[in-house]
Amino acid sequence: MKALVTRPPLSSSLSGTAIAICHNRSSSDVLECGRTEIRSTLDLDGAFARYHPSLFRYLQRLTGDADMAADIAQESFVRLLSHPQPEERVRAWLFTVATNLVRDSARARARRQRLIAGHEFAPEATDRPDTELERDETVAAVRRALEQLTPRERQLLLLRQEGFRYVEIAKIVEVAPGSVGKLLTRALQSFAEVYRDSESTSTDEGDDPHS
């Protein structure tokens, strides 16, 4: 009767080989070897499925531009390929990179908004359910209120809405962790005031002075 021979899992064998190669390399190659090992364990498809929906939603609300949000989200994942992160850091890293890309594209965004504003057109009249119209009006009011906040206030509110912890928000927005709670409170107060004023203005404009 032949003796039963057990073999280690393929992943264990590959991991051991990678470690052996790393140990046999010169010290100048250690960093790159570590990156290669992280890259080999990064599940990019899984990361995209888990984090892209919330990243895109955050970017769309932050910029007000779906095309820009899609471009920046895609660029963030492309950069993840060349700068692989441990699984527990991927989500915060993606949001940090995306937020920085939004900051870098602020001038281009402003030019795009001016261009759009200079080519306004009247939409075609269509019959739509009242509930749908009300929802669109609410979304538009929230969008207008967010646009009147500072960039940091928008980032704080949207990141918190996406479920980030205070310590993660602090890293992404680049503020002290102990100040996040106070900054969020101020941002919420600013949003409430702006939104309330916006609602009051809309109501006043809707009143018929001749009625």
XYZ file of all heavy atoms in Angstrom, residues 137 141-142 144-145 148 191-208:
187
model
N -37.252 67.905 -7.468
C -37.109 69.227 -6.866
C -36.337 69.145 -5.557
O -35.509 70.022 -5.255
C -38.492 69.843 -6.623
C -39.210 70.238 -7.904
C -40.638 70.676 -7.650
O -41.067 70.616 -6.473
O -41.323 71.075 -8.607
N -32.736 70.860 -4.779
C -32.559 71.752 -3.629
C -31.370 71.319 -2.783
O -30.580 72.150 -2.320
C -33.831 71.767 -2.781
N -31.224 70.025 -2.579
C -30.074 69.511 -1.827
C -28.787 69.826 -2.568
O -27.783 70.237 -1.965
C -30.213 67.994 -1.605
C -28.922 67.402 -1.045
C -31.377 67.704 -0.663
N -28.217 72.294 -4.674
C -27.931 73.728 -4.559
C -27.363 74.063 -3.186
O -26.443 74.872 -3.065
C -29.200 74.547 -4.821
C -29.664 74.559 -6.267
C -30.730 75.633 -6.491
N -31.906 75.404 -5.666
C -32.954 74.676 -6.055
N -32.958 74.119 -7.256
N -33.997 74.522 -5.258
N -27.914 73.436 -2.150
C -27.423 73.694 -0.795
C -25.987 73.213 -0.639
O -25.143 73.904 -0.048
C -28.334 73.013 0.229
N -23.348 75.502 -2.058
C -23.069 76.735 -1.322
C -22.164 76.501 -0.103
O -21.726 77.466 0.525
C -24.388 77.375 -0.882
C -25.239 77.853 -2.050
C -26.488 78.571 -1.596
O -26.428 79.546 -0.843
N -27.646 78.100 -2.042
N -25.362 73.476 6.329
C -26.253 72.884 5.330
C -27.717 73.156 5.671
O -28.517 73.498 4.792
C -26.008 71.385 5.235
C -26.964 70.689 4.305
C -26.741 70.686 2.938
C -28.096 70.042 4.793
C -27.625 70.061 2.070
C -28.979 69.419 3.939
C -28.744 69.425 2.573
N -28.071 72.983 6.942
C -29.459 73.198 7.360
C -29.889 74.635 7.099
O -31.005 74.890 6.624
C -29.613 72.857 8.842
N -29.017 75.584 7.399
C -29.357 76.993 7.193
C -29.521 77.309 5.709
O -30.487 77.973 5.305
C -28.267 77.878 7.807
C -28.212 77.810 9.332
C -27.022 78.573 9.889
O -26.251 79.142 9.073
O -26.847 78.597 11.119
N -28.588 76.827 4.900
C -28.649 77.097 3.467
C -29.870 76.438 2.844
O -30.576 77.037 2.017
C -27.357 76.605 2.778
C -27.500 76.699 1.263
C -26.162 77.425 3.231
N -30.131 75.195 3.240
C -31.278 74.468 2.689
C -32.591 75.149 3.087
O -33.499 75.279 2.259
C -31.262 73.024 3.176
C -32.333 72.166 2.553
C -32.177 71.635 1.275
C -33.510 71.885 3.246
C -33.161 70.845 0.697
C -34.504 71.097 2.671
C -34.320 70.576 1.402
O -35.297 69.808 0.833
N -32.670 75.596 4.344
C -33.881 76.278 4.816
C -34.090 77.586 4.051
O -35.213 77.903 3.631
C -33.772 76.546 6.311
C -35.043 77.116 6.917
C -34.993 77.061 8.434
N -33.789 77.687 8.972
C -32.803 77.012 9.572
N -32.886 75.705 9.717
N -31.755 77.644 10.059
N -33.020 78.335 3.845
C -33.129 79.577 3.091
C -33.543 79.310 1.646
O -34.335 80.060 1.064
C -31.794 80.329 3.117
C -31.456 80.853 4.510
O -32.374 80.919 5.349
O -30.280 81.184 4.748
N -33.001 78.236 1.083
C -33.339 77.885 -0.295
C -34.802 77.522 -0.414
O -35.488 77.920 -1.370
C -32.468 76.714 -0.757
O -32.847 76.284 -2.047
N -35.327 76.784 0.554
C -36.732 76.403 0.546
C -37.629 77.629 0.694
O -38.662 77.739 0.035
C -37.004 75.416 1.680
C -36.430 74.036 1.443
C -37.182 73.295 0.362
O -38.243 72.736 0.652
O -36.697 73.291 -0.792
N -37.215 78.560 1.554
C -38.002 79.779 1.756
C -38.050 80.609 0.489
O -39.090 81.142 0.106
C -37.409 80.606 2.897
O -37.433 79.887 4.116
N -36.905 80.704 -0.188
C -36.845 81.471 -1.429
C -37.734 80.860 -2.496
O -38.456 81.561 -3.214
C -35.393 81.532 -1.950
O -34.563 82.135 -0.951
C -35.317 82.331 -3.235
N -37.703 79.525 -2.598
C -38.532 78.839 -3.595
C -40.009 79.056 -3.317
O -40.805 79.259 -4.229
C -38.214 77.339 -3.592
O -36.854 77.117 -3.927
N -40.354 79.033 -2.052
C -41.762 79.239 -1.673
C -42.213 80.650 -2.010
O -43.292 80.871 -2.550
C -41.958 78.979 -0.173
O -41.549 77.640 0.131
C -43.412 79.171 0.218
N -41.362 81.638 -1.711
C -41.697 83.032 -2.004
C -41.848 83.258 -3.488
O -42.747 83.978 -3.942
C -40.624 83.959 -1.436
C -40.609 83.937 0.087
O -41.629 83.520 0.684
O -39.578 84.334 0.690
N -40.964 82.639 -4.287
C -41.021 82.826 -5.721
C -42.255 82.154 -6.313
O -42.776 82.567 -7.347
C -39.747 82.238 -6.390
C -38.506 83.052 -6.069
C -37.265 82.405 -6.661
O -37.381 81.259 -7.169
O -36.201 83.041 -6.678
N -42.741 81.111 -5.636
C -43.912 80.398 -6.148
C -45.218 81.091 -5.815
O -46.257 80.773 -6.415
N -45.201 82.027 -4.876
C -46.426 82.744 -4.527
C -46.822 83.726 -5.626
O -45.976 84.427 -6.174
C -46.235 83.508 -3.214
C -46.100 82.558 -2.021
O -46.551 81.410 -2.152
O -45.521 82.982 -0.993
N -48.091 83.787 -5.890
C -48.580 84.718 -6.910
C -49.001 86.021 -6.223
O -49.948 86.032 -5.429
C -49.776 84.098 -7.637
C -50.277 84.982 -8.763
O -49.682 86.069 -8.988
O -51.257 84.587 -9.419
